[in-house]
Amino acid sequence: MTPEIQMLLDFGDDKKGRGRPGKNHDAEHRLFFALYPPDAIEQQAASIAHDYCRAFSLFGEPRLTTLHVTIIWVGDYARLPEDVVFAALQAGATVESAPIAMSFDRVMRFPQARALVLCGEGGRKPLTRLRVQLGVSMHNAGFPHNIGRNFKPHMTLLYDRKTVPPATLDTPVSWTASEFLLIHSVLGKTEHRIIDRWPLLG
């Protein structure tokens, strides 16, 4: 185990439900599996975000340092329990998948989350299979069932209250994901910490 992982395991336990995931209004820590785009894709997404900010006078700040595609959410916690991290690491290590060709060709708003996102069908099927594998592995490790049917792969560019019309991109945002990651997000600080990563080798 790397020193970085050990450091993240030292949060201690929540005695009111050890390792129990949930939507917690007092949560400060989020754990999830995700794909990260390469630097060139981050720059392409940043350009799209800034174009939309200028065109529609948006006030939301582009999420350029934490761009990602969520595969499956693990849980939100007031303190990150070490048993949850350990179980999530075990789940991630059991998954096998080939590299995934992702492609987002649309920009739209998710009204409930007030989020401007990139989305598309490119890579949806293999990413869904990876999501199901992780969900099953997590369930086998003691997590509640967490595989919803309405999975829509997307990358959040920014949050803003304003409504913007959906649009098709002239140049899709595309890359081949060669790994997936377990991410610890420090909520409210736009900060992601990579706990571990696994190659997509097929």
Side-chain angles (χ1 to χ4, degrees):
M1 184 178 295
T2 66
E4 291 81 3
I5 293 175
Q6 184 59 56
M7 178 183 69
L8 289 171
L9 295 181
D10 289 337
F11 278 93
D13 302 323
D14 184 352
K15 295 182 180 179
K16 296 182 179 179
R18 176 179 170 87
R20 181 184 303 165
K23 295 293 185 181
N24 185 344
H25 293 297
D26 297 323
E28 296 181 6
H29 306 278
R30 174 169 295 166
L31 199 64
F32 61 96
F33 289 96
L35 304 179
Y36 264 20
D39 292 344
I41 297 302
E42 285 187 349
Q43 294 303 315
Q44 185 181 359
S47 178
I48 294 169
H50 287 304
D51 286 347
Y52 266 75
C53 285
R54 289 192 296 268
F56 297 98
S57 300
L58 303 181
F59 292 100
E61 290 293 328
R63 296 163 49 89
L64 306 183
T65 60
T66 56
L67 288 172
H68 67 277
V69 180
T70 298
I71 304 171
I72 193 166
W73 171 81
V74 177
D76 292 348
Y77 310 91
R79 291 179 294 173
L80 195 61
E82 65 179 66
D83 58 344
V84 170
V85 176
F86 181 74
L89 286 168
Q90 287 185 310
T94 65
V95 170
E96 294 183 1
S97 172
I100 299 175
M102 298 298 303
S103 184
F104 295 140
D105 60 359
R106 298 193 301 278
V107 181
M108 64 179 296
R109 186 173 184 264
F110 284 179
Q112 187 173 0
R114 297 175 178 173
L116 184 69
V117 306
L118 298 176
C119 59
E121 293 298 314
R124 180 173 184 171
K125 289 184 179 180
L127 189 60
T128 299
R129 287 194 292 270
L130 177 58
R131 171 183 169 86
V132 170
Q133 285 190 63
L134 283 167
V136 171
S137 294
M138 287 166 56
H139 185 66
N140 291 339
F143 290 93
H145 182 271
N146 193 26
I147 309 173
R149 294 185 177 181
N150 298 321
F151 180 49
K152 191 178 185 67
H154 63 277
M155 183 187 297
T156 299
L157 297 176
L158 56 85
Y159 293 98
D160 198 281
R161 293 177 179 271
K162 288 189 176 181
T163 300
V164 299
T168 300
L169 296 172
D170 293 331
T171 303
V173 176
S174 304
W175 80 98
T176 298
S178 58
E179 64 177 5
F180 70 98
L181 306 91
L182 179 62
I183 303 298
H184 167 212
S185 174
V186 182
L187 299 178
K189 295 186 178 181
T190 317
E191 179 182 343
H192 283 181
R193 301 172 182 174
I194 299 173
I195 295 181
D196 208 347
R197 60 213 312 161
W198 296 268
L200 298 172
L201 300 174

